[in-house]
Each structure stands twice: as structure tokens, then as C-alpha cells.
Short mmCIF file of all heavy atoms in Angstrom, two decimals:
data_model
loop_
_atom_site.label_atom_id
_atom_site.label_comp_id
_atom_site.label_asym_id
_atom_site.label_seq_id
_atom_site.Cartn_x
_atom_site.Cartn_y
_atom_site.Cartn_z
N MET A 1250 -82.45 -13.95 -44.71
CA MET A 1250 -81.33 -13.08 -44.96
C MET A 1250 -80.03 -13.84 -44.68
O MET A 1250 -79.89 -14.46 -43.64
CB MET A 1250 -81.45 -11.84 -44.10
CG MET A 1250 -80.40 -10.82 -44.34
SD MET A 1250 -80.78 -9.39 -43.32
CE MET A 1250 -79.73 -8.23 -44.02
N VAL A 1251 -79.10 -13.74 -45.59
CA VAL A 1251 -77.84 -14.45 -45.47
C VAL A 1251 -76.82 -13.56 -44.76
O VAL A 1251 -76.64 -12.40 -45.12
CB VAL A 1251 -77.30 -14.85 -46.86
CG1 VAL A 1251 -75.96 -15.52 -46.74
CG2 VAL A 1251 -78.30 -15.73 -47.58
N GLU A 1252 -76.19 -14.11 -43.73
CA GLU A 1252 -75.13 -13.37 -43.05
C GLU A 1252 -73.84 -13.50 -43.83
O GLU A 1252 -73.48 -14.59 -44.27
CB GLU A 1252 -74.92 -13.91 -41.64
CG GLU A 1252 -75.73 -13.19 -40.61
CD GLU A 1252 -75.30 -13.58 -39.21
OE1 GLU A 1252 -74.13 -13.39 -38.87
OE2 GLU A 1252 -76.19 -14.08 -38.49
N ARG A 1253 -73.16 -12.40 -44.01
CA ARG A 1253 -71.90 -12.43 -44.76
C ARG A 1253 -70.77 -12.07 -43.80
O ARG A 1253 -70.90 -11.15 -43.00
CB ARG A 1253 -71.93 -11.44 -45.91
CG ARG A 1253 -72.98 -11.81 -46.93
CD ARG A 1253 -72.97 -10.86 -48.07
NE ARG A 1253 -74.05 -11.20 -48.98
CZ ARG A 1253 -74.35 -10.50 -50.04
NH1 ARG A 1253 -73.66 -9.44 -50.34
NH2 ARG A 1253 -75.33 -10.87 -50.81
N MET A 1254 -69.69 -12.78 -43.91
CA MET A 1254 -68.52 -12.54 -43.06
C MET A 1254 -67.31 -12.33 -43.95
O MET A 1254 -67.15 -12.98 -44.98
CB MET A 1254 -68.26 -13.74 -42.15
CG MET A 1254 -69.41 -14.10 -41.22
SD MET A 1254 -69.57 -12.98 -39.85
CE MET A 1254 -68.09 -13.34 -38.95
N LEU A 1255 -66.43 -11.43 -43.54
CA LEU A 1255 -65.18 -11.21 -44.23
C LEU A 1255 -64.10 -12.06 -43.58
O LEU A 1255 -64.02 -12.13 -42.36
CB LEU A 1255 -64.76 -9.74 -44.16
CG LEU A 1255 -65.66 -8.73 -44.86
CD1 LEU A 1255 -65.15 -7.32 -44.58
CD2 LEU A 1255 -65.69 -8.99 -46.33
N ASN A 1256 -63.27 -12.67 -44.41
CA ASN A 1256 -62.14 -13.39 -43.82
C ASN A 1256 -61.00 -12.40 -43.60
O ASN A 1256 -61.09 -11.22 -43.95
CB ASN A 1256 -61.72 -14.59 -44.67
CG ASN A 1256 -61.22 -14.21 -46.04
OD1 ASN A 1256 -60.69 -13.13 -46.23
ND2 ASN A 1256 -61.39 -15.12 -47.00
N THR A 1257 -59.91 -12.86 -43.03
CA THR A 1257 -58.81 -11.99 -42.65
C THR A 1257 -58.18 -11.30 -43.87
O THR A 1257 -57.89 -10.09 -43.82
CB THR A 1257 -57.73 -12.80 -41.90
OG1 THR A 1257 -58.36 -13.45 -40.80
CG2 THR A 1257 -56.64 -11.90 -41.38
N ALA A 1258 -57.98 -12.02 -44.96
CA ALA A 1258 -57.37 -11.43 -46.16
C ALA A 1258 -58.27 -10.35 -46.76
O ALA A 1258 -57.80 -9.30 -47.21
CB ALA A 1258 -57.08 -12.51 -47.18
N GLN A 1259 -59.57 -10.58 -46.78
CA GLN A 1259 -60.50 -9.59 -47.33
C GLN A 1259 -60.52 -8.33 -46.47
O GLN A 1259 -60.54 -7.22 -47.00
CB GLN A 1259 -61.90 -10.18 -47.43
CG GLN A 1259 -62.05 -11.25 -48.47
CD GLN A 1259 -63.39 -11.96 -48.39
OE1 GLN A 1259 -63.97 -12.12 -47.32
NE2 GLN A 1259 -63.88 -12.40 -49.54
N LEU A 1260 -60.51 -8.51 -45.17
CA LEU A 1260 -60.51 -7.37 -44.27
C LEU A 1260 -59.21 -6.57 -44.41
O LEU A 1260 -59.24 -5.33 -44.47
CB LEU A 1260 -60.68 -7.84 -42.82
CG LEU A 1260 -60.74 -6.75 -41.76
CD1 LEU A 1260 -61.93 -5.84 -42.00
CD2 LEU A 1260 -60.80 -7.38 -40.39
N ALA A 1261 -58.08 -7.26 -44.51
CA ALA A 1261 -56.80 -6.57 -44.66
C ALA A 1261 -56.74 -5.81 -45.97
O ALA A 1261 -56.29 -4.65 -46.00
CB ALA A 1261 -55.66 -7.58 -44.58
N SER A 1262 -57.20 -6.42 -47.06
CA SER A 1262 -57.17 -5.72 -48.34
C SER A 1262 -58.12 -4.52 -48.35
O SER A 1262 -57.81 -3.48 -48.95
CB SER A 1262 -57.49 -6.68 -49.49
OG SER A 1262 -58.81 -7.14 -49.40
N MET A 1263 -59.24 -4.63 -47.66
CA MET A 1263 -60.17 -3.50 -47.57
C MET A 1263 -59.52 -2.34 -46.81
O MET A 1263 -59.61 -1.19 -47.22
CB MET A 1263 -61.45 -3.93 -46.87
CG MET A 1263 -62.47 -2.80 -46.75
SD MET A 1263 -63.92 -3.24 -45.80
CE MET A 1263 -63.24 -3.39 -44.16
N LEU A 1264 -58.85 -2.63 -45.71
CA LEU A 1264 -58.21 -1.58 -44.92
C LEU A 1264 -57.07 -0.92 -45.69
O LEU A 1264 -56.91 0.31 -45.66
CB LEU A 1264 -57.70 -2.15 -43.60
CG LEU A 1264 -58.78 -2.57 -42.61
CD1 LEU A 1264 -58.16 -3.25 -41.40
CD2 LEU A 1264 -59.61 -1.38 -42.19
N VAL A 1265 -56.27 -1.71 -46.40
CA VAL A 1265 -55.17 -1.15 -47.19
C VAL A 1265 -55.70 -0.28 -48.32
O VAL A 1265 -55.21 0.83 -48.55
CB VAL A 1265 -54.26 -2.28 -47.73
CG1 VAL A 1265 -53.30 -1.75 -48.77
CG2 VAL A 1265 -53.51 -2.94 -46.59
N SER A 1266 -56.70 -0.76 -49.03
CA SER A 1266 -57.24 0.03 -50.14
C SER A 1266 -57.91 1.31 -49.65
O SER A 1266 -57.81 2.35 -50.30
CB SER A 1266 -58.21 -0.80 -50.97
OG SER A 1266 -59.33 -1.18 -50.21
N THR A 1267 -58.57 1.27 -48.50
CA THR A 1267 -59.17 2.47 -47.93
C THR A 1267 -58.09 3.48 -47.55
O THR A 1267 -58.21 4.68 -47.83
CB THR A 1267 -60.01 2.12 -46.70
OG1 THR A 1267 -61.04 1.21 -47.09
CG2 THR A 1267 -60.64 3.35 -46.09
N SER A 1268 -57.02 3.00 -46.95
CA SER A 1268 -55.92 3.87 -46.57
C SER A 1268 -55.27 4.51 -47.79
O SER A 1268 -54.98 5.71 -47.80
CB SER A 1268 -54.88 3.08 -45.77
OG SER A 1268 -53.77 3.88 -45.47
N CYS A 1269 -55.06 3.73 -48.82
CA CYS A 1269 -54.46 4.26 -50.06
C CYS A 1269 -55.40 5.28 -50.71
O CYS A 1269 -54.95 6.31 -51.24
CB CYS A 1269 -54.15 3.14 -51.04
SG CYS A 1269 -52.79 2.10 -50.51
N GLY A 1270 -56.68 5.00 -50.70
CA GLY A 1270 -57.65 5.92 -51.29
C GLY A 1270 -57.68 7.25 -50.57
O GLY A 1270 -57.71 8.32 -51.19
N ILE A 1271 -57.65 7.22 -49.24
CA ILE A 1271 -57.64 8.46 -48.46
C ILE A 1271 -56.35 9.22 -48.70
O ILE A 1271 -56.35 10.44 -48.86
CB ILE A 1271 -57.86 8.16 -46.97
CG1 ILE A 1271 -59.29 7.68 -46.75
CG2 ILE A 1271 -57.58 9.38 -46.11
CD1 ILE A 1271 -59.56 7.15 -45.37
N GLY A 1272 -55.22 8.50 -48.76
CA GLY A 1272 -53.95 9.15 -49.04
C GLY A 1272 -53.93 9.79 -50.42
O GLY A 1272 -53.39 10.88 -50.61
N PHE A 1273 -54.54 9.11 -51.39
CA PHE A 1273 -54.63 9.65 -52.75
C PHE A 1273 -55.43 10.95 -52.75
O PHE A 1273 -55.03 11.95 -53.36
CB PHE A 1273 -55.27 8.62 -53.67
CG PHE A 1273 -55.38 9.05 -55.10
CD1 PHE A 1273 -54.29 8.99 -55.93
CD2 PHE A 1273 -56.59 9.50 -55.60
CE1 PHE A 1273 -54.40 9.38 -57.26
CE2 PHE A 1273 -56.70 9.90 -56.90
CZ PHE A 1273 -55.60 9.85 -57.75
N LEU A 1274 -56.56 10.97 -52.05
CA LEU A 1274 -57.39 12.18 -52.00
C LEU A 1274 -56.68 13.33 -51.31
O LEU A 1274 -56.69 14.47 -51.78
CB LEU A 1274 -58.71 11.89 -51.29
CG LEU A 1274 -59.72 11.05 -52.05
CD1 LEU A 1274 -60.93 10.76 -51.17
CD2 LEU A 1274 -60.15 11.76 -53.32
N LEU A 1275 -56.03 13.03 -50.18
CA LEU A 1275 -55.32 14.09 -49.46
C LEU A 1275 -54.12 14.60 -50.25
O LEU A 1275 -53.85 15.80 -50.29
CB LEU A 1275 -54.88 13.59 -48.09
CG LEU A 1275 -56.00 13.32 -47.08
CD1 LEU A 1275 -55.44 12.74 -45.80
CD2 LEU A 1275 -56.80 14.58 -46.81
N GLY A 1276 -53.39 13.70 -50.89
CA GLY A 1276 -52.25 14.11 -51.70
C GLY A 1276 -52.66 14.96 -52.89
O GLY A 1276 -52.00 15.95 -53.22
N THR A 1277 -53.74 14.58 -53.54
CA THR A 1277 -54.23 15.36 -54.67
C THR A 1277 -54.69 16.74 -54.21
O THR A 1277 -54.43 17.75 -54.87
CB THR A 1277 -55.38 14.63 -55.38
OG1 THR A 1277 -54.90 13.36 -55.82
CG2 THR A 1277 -55.89 15.41 -56.56
N GLY A 1278 -55.35 16.79 -53.07
CA GLY A 1278 -55.78 18.08 -52.52
C GLY A 1278 -54.60 18.98 -52.18
O GLY A 1278 -54.64 20.19 -52.44
N GLU A 1279 -53.55 18.39 -51.63
CA GLU A 1279 -52.36 19.18 -51.31
C GLU A 1279 -51.68 19.70 -52.58
O GLU A 1279 -51.28 20.86 -52.64
CB GLU A 1279 -51.37 18.33 -50.52
CG GLU A 1279 -50.12 19.08 -50.11
CD GLU A 1279 -49.12 18.20 -49.39
OE1 GLU A 1279 -49.35 16.99 -49.27
OE2 GLU A 1279 -48.09 18.75 -48.96
N LEU A 1280 -51.55 18.83 -53.59
CA LEU A 1280 -50.96 19.28 -54.86
C LEU A 1280 -51.78 20.39 -55.50
O LEU A 1280 -51.23 21.36 -56.03
CB LEU A 1280 -50.84 18.11 -55.84
CG LEU A 1280 -49.67 17.17 -55.63
CD1 LEU A 1280 -49.76 15.98 -56.59
CD2 LEU A 1280 -48.36 17.89 -55.84
N THR A 1281 -53.08 20.26 -55.44
CA THR A 1281 -53.96 21.28 -56.03
C THR A 1281 -53.82 22.60 -55.29
O THR A 1281 -53.83 23.67 -55.91
CB THR A 1281 -55.42 20.80 -56.01
OG1 THR A 1281 -55.50 19.56 -56.70
CG2 THR A 1281 -56.34 21.79 -56.68
N GLN A 1282 -53.65 22.54 -53.98
CA GLN A 1282 -53.50 23.76 -53.19
C GLN A 1282 -52.18 24.45 -53.52
O GLN A 1282 -52.14 25.67 -53.62
CB GLN A 1282 -53.57 23.45 -51.70
CG GLN A 1282 -53.51 24.68 -50.83
CD GLN A 1282 -53.65 24.35 -49.37
OE1 GLN A 1282 -53.62 23.19 -48.97
NE2 GLN A 1282 -53.79 25.37 -48.55
N HIS A 1283 -51.12 23.69 -53.71
CA HIS A 1283 -49.81 24.29 -53.96
C HIS A 1283 -49.59 24.64 -55.42
O HIS A 1283 -48.91 25.62 -55.72
CB HIS A 1283 -48.70 23.35 -53.50
CG HIS A 1283 -48.61 23.23 -52.01
ND1 HIS A 1283 -48.16 24.25 -51.21
CD2 HIS A 1283 -48.94 22.22 -51.17
CE1 HIS A 1283 -48.20 23.88 -49.95
NE2 HIS A 1283 -48.69 22.65 -49.90
N GLN A 1284 -50.12 23.85 -56.35
CA GLN A 1284 -49.84 24.06 -57.76
C GLN A 1284 -51.05 24.51 -58.57
O GLN A 1284 -50.98 24.58 -59.78
CB GLN A 1284 -49.28 22.77 -58.36
CG GLN A 1284 -48.00 22.32 -57.74
CD GLN A 1284 -47.51 21.01 -58.31
OE1 GLN A 1284 -48.14 20.41 -59.17
NE2 GLN A 1284 -46.36 20.56 -57.83
N GLY A 1285 -52.15 24.75 -57.92
CA GLY A 1285 -53.35 25.14 -58.65
C GLY A 1285 -53.98 23.93 -59.32
O GLY A 1285 -53.78 22.79 -58.92
N MET A 1286 -54.71 24.18 -60.38
CA MET A 1286 -55.41 23.09 -61.07
C MET A 1286 -54.45 22.11 -61.72
O MET A 1286 -54.83 20.97 -61.99
CB MET A 1286 -56.37 23.66 -62.10
CG MET A 1286 -57.60 24.31 -61.47
SD MET A 1286 -58.47 23.23 -60.32
CE MET A 1286 -59.16 22.04 -61.42
N ALA A 1287 -53.21 22.51 -61.97
CA ALA A 1287 -52.23 21.59 -62.56
C ALA A 1287 -51.95 20.43 -61.60
O ALA A 1287 -51.56 19.34 -62.03
CB ALA A 1287 -50.94 22.32 -62.89
N GLY A 1288 -52.15 20.63 -60.31
CA GLY A 1288 -51.93 19.58 -59.33
C GLY A 1288 -52.94 18.45 -59.43
O GLY A 1288 -52.69 17.34 -58.96
N SER A 1289 -54.06 18.70 -60.05
CA SER A 1289 -55.08 17.66 -60.17
C SER A 1289 -54.90 16.82 -61.43
O SER A 1289 -55.68 15.89 -61.67
CB SER A 1289 -56.48 18.27 -60.15
OG SER A 1289 -56.66 19.10 -61.28
N LEU A 1290 -53.89 17.11 -62.24
CA LEU A 1290 -53.67 16.34 -63.47
C LEU A 1290 -53.37 14.87 -63.17
O LEU A 1290 -53.74 13.99 -63.94
CB LEU A 1290 -52.55 16.96 -64.30
CG LEU A 1290 -52.90 18.26 -64.99
CD1 LEU A 1290 -51.68 18.81 -65.72
CD2 LEU A 1290 -54.05 18.07 -65.95
N TYR A 1291 -52.67 14.60 -62.06
CA TYR A 1291 -52.37 13.22 -61.69
C TYR A 1291 -53.67 12.44 -61.46
O TYR A 1291 -53.82 11.33 -61.94
CB TYR A 1291 -51.49 13.19 -60.46
CG TYR A 1291 -51.19 11.81 -59.95
CD1 TYR A 1291 -50.35 10.97 -60.67
CD2 TYR A 1291 -51.76 11.33 -58.77
CE1 TYR A 1291 -50.08 9.69 -60.22
CE2 TYR A 1291 -51.49 10.06 -58.33
CZ TYR A 1291 -50.66 9.24 -59.05
OH TYR A 1291 -50.40 7.98 -58.61
N ALA A 1292 -54.60 13.04 -60.73
CA ALA A 1292 -55.87 12.37 -60.47
C ALA A 1292 -56.67 12.18 -61.76
O ALA A 1292 -57.27 11.12 -61.97
CB ALA A 1292 -56.68 13.18 -59.47
N ILE A 1293 -56.65 13.16 -62.62
CA ILE A 1293 -57.39 13.06 -63.88
C ILE A 1293 -56.78 11.97 -64.77
O ILE A 1293 -57.49 11.15 -65.35
CB ILE A 1293 -57.41 14.42 -64.60
CG1 ILE A 1293 -58.26 15.41 -63.80
CG2 ILE A 1293 -57.94 14.30 -66.02
CD1 ILE A 1293 -58.13 16.84 -64.26
N ALA A 1294 -55.45 11.95 -64.85
CA ALA A 1294 -54.78 10.93 -65.67
C ALA A 1294 -55.01 9.53 -65.12
O ALA A 1294 -55.21 8.58 -65.87
CB ALA A 1294 -53.29 11.23 -65.74
N THR A 1295 -55.00 9.40 -63.81
CA THR A 1295 -55.26 8.10 -63.19
C THR A 1295 -56.68 7.63 -63.48
O THR A 1295 -56.91 6.46 -63.81
CB THR A 1295 -55.04 8.17 -61.67
OG1 THR A 1295 -53.69 8.60 -61.43
CG2 THR A 1295 -55.26 6.84 -61.01
N THR A 1296 -57.64 8.53 -63.38
CA THR A 1296 -59.03 8.19 -63.66
C THR A 1296 -59.22 7.77 -65.12
O THR A 1296 -59.88 6.76 -65.40
CB THR A 1296 -59.94 9.39 -63.35
OG1 THR A 1296 -59.76 9.76 -61.98
CG2 THR A 1296 -61.40 9.07 -63.59
N LEU A 1297 -58.62 8.51 -66.02
CA LEU A 1297 -58.73 8.14 -67.44
C LEU A 1297 -58.08 6.79 -67.72
O LEU A 1297 -58.61 5.99 -68.48
CB LEU A 1297 -58.10 9.23 -68.31
CG LEU A 1297 -58.84 10.56 -68.37
CD1 LEU A 1297 -58.03 11.59 -69.16
CD2 LEU A 1297 -60.21 10.39 -68.97
N GLY A 1298 -56.94 6.54 -67.08
CA GLY A 1298 -56.28 5.25 -67.25
C GLY A 1298 -57.12 4.10 -66.74
O GLY A 1298 -57.18 3.03 -67.36
N LEU A 1299 -57.79 4.30 -65.61
CA LEU A 1299 -58.65 3.25 -65.07
C LEU A 1299 -59.85 2.99 -65.98
O LEU A 1299 -60.27 1.85 -66.15
CB LEU A 1299 -59.12 3.62 -63.66
CG LEU A 1299 -58.06 3.54 -62.57
CD1 LEU A 1299 -58.61 4.09 -61.26
CD2 LEU A 1299 -57.58 2.12 -62.39
N PHE A 1300 -60.39 4.05 -66.59
CA PHE A 1300 -61.50 3.86 -67.54
C PHE A 1300 -61.04 3.10 -68.76
O PHE A 1300 -61.77 2.24 -69.27
CB PHE A 1300 -62.11 5.21 -67.95
CG PHE A 1300 -63.07 5.77 -66.95
CD1 PHE A 1300 -62.97 7.10 -66.54
CD2 PHE A 1300 -64.08 5.00 -66.40
CE1 PHE A 1300 -63.85 7.63 -65.63
CE2 PHE A 1300 -64.97 5.51 -65.49
CZ PHE A 1300 -64.86 6.84 -65.11
N VAL A 1301 -59.83 3.38 -69.25
CA VAL A 1301 -59.31 2.67 -70.40
C VAL A 1301 -59.12 1.19 -70.06
O VAL A 1301 -59.48 0.30 -70.83
CB VAL A 1301 -57.98 3.30 -70.88
CG1 VAL A 1301 -57.27 2.41 -71.87
CG2 VAL A 1301 -58.25 4.67 -71.49
N LEU A 1302 -58.55 0.92 -68.87
CA LEU A 1302 -58.36 -0.47 -68.47
C LEU A 1302 -59.69 -1.19 -68.25
O LEU A 1302 -59.82 -2.38 -68.53
CB LEU A 1302 -57.53 -0.54 -67.19
CG LEU A 1302 -56.05 -0.20 -67.33
CD1 LEU A 1302 -55.38 -0.17 -65.97
CD2 LEU A 1302 -55.37 -1.21 -68.23
N ALA A 1303 -60.69 -0.48 -67.74
CA ALA A 1303 -62.00 -1.10 -67.51
C ALA A 1303 -62.69 -1.42 -68.83
O ALA A 1303 -63.47 -2.37 -68.90
CB ALA A 1303 -62.87 -0.18 -66.67
N GLY A 1304 -62.38 -0.67 -69.87
CA GLY A 1304 -63.00 -0.89 -71.17
C GLY A 1304 -62.41 -2.06 -71.94
O GLY A 1304 -62.98 -2.51 -72.92
N ARG A 1305 -61.29 -2.56 -71.50
CA ARG A 1305 -60.63 -3.66 -72.22
C ARG A 1305 -61.30 -4.96 -71.98
O ARG A 1305 -61.78 -5.45 -71.15
CB ARG A 1305 -59.17 -3.76 -71.85
CG ARG A 1305 -58.41 -2.57 -72.37
CD ARG A 1305 -56.95 -2.75 -72.15
NE ARG A 1305 -56.37 -2.43 -73.44
CZ ARG A 1305 -55.26 -2.92 -73.89
NH1 ARG A 1305 -54.58 -3.77 -73.18
NH2 ARG A 1305 -54.79 -2.58 -75.04
#
């Protein structure tokens, strides 16, 4: 079994991306609570955009 280690840059980018992801989920939940289902349009549009970019 090969041991894998993260270097400092990889660890920092993982922590930043995790923090942004959690903030995105909480922000979308707050918008949905205040604006109803229209608040989730940002998350839906972002997901569709990522799928389009992944398909290129």
C-alpha cells in the first residue's frame, strides 16, 4: 500500500474549497428560505454552467 501525503499548497486549496462549498450550501439554503424556490435558481444555474464547462 502506498502512503500518500498532501503538500502545503494541496492542503490549503482543499481547506479553501471546502469552506467555499459550505458557504455556498448555507447561502443557497438561506436564499431558499427567504425567497422560496426562486432562491435556488443561483445553485441550479451554477450547476448547469459547470456541466456545460465539463462537456467542453
Side-chain angles (χ1 to χ4, degrees):
M1250 184 176 194
V1251 177
E1252 268 191 59
R1253 296 182 184 176
M1254 301 284 293
L1255 295 176
N1256 63 29
T1257 305
Q1259 291 171 328
L1260 182 62
S1262 66
M1263 181 185 69
L1264 291 174
V1265 168
S1266 64
T1267 301
S1268 176
C1269 290
I1271 291 171
F1273 181 79
L1274 287 176
L1275 291 176
T1277 301
E1279 181 183 4
L1280 280 175
T1281 303
Q1282 184 177 9
H1283 289 289
Q1284 299 178 358
M1286 287 307 290
S1289 65
L1290 287 177
Y1291 176 71
I1293 293 169
T1295 302
T1296 302
L1297 290 174
L1299 288 173
F1300 280 132
V1301 168
L1302 288 174
R1305 291 187 131 209

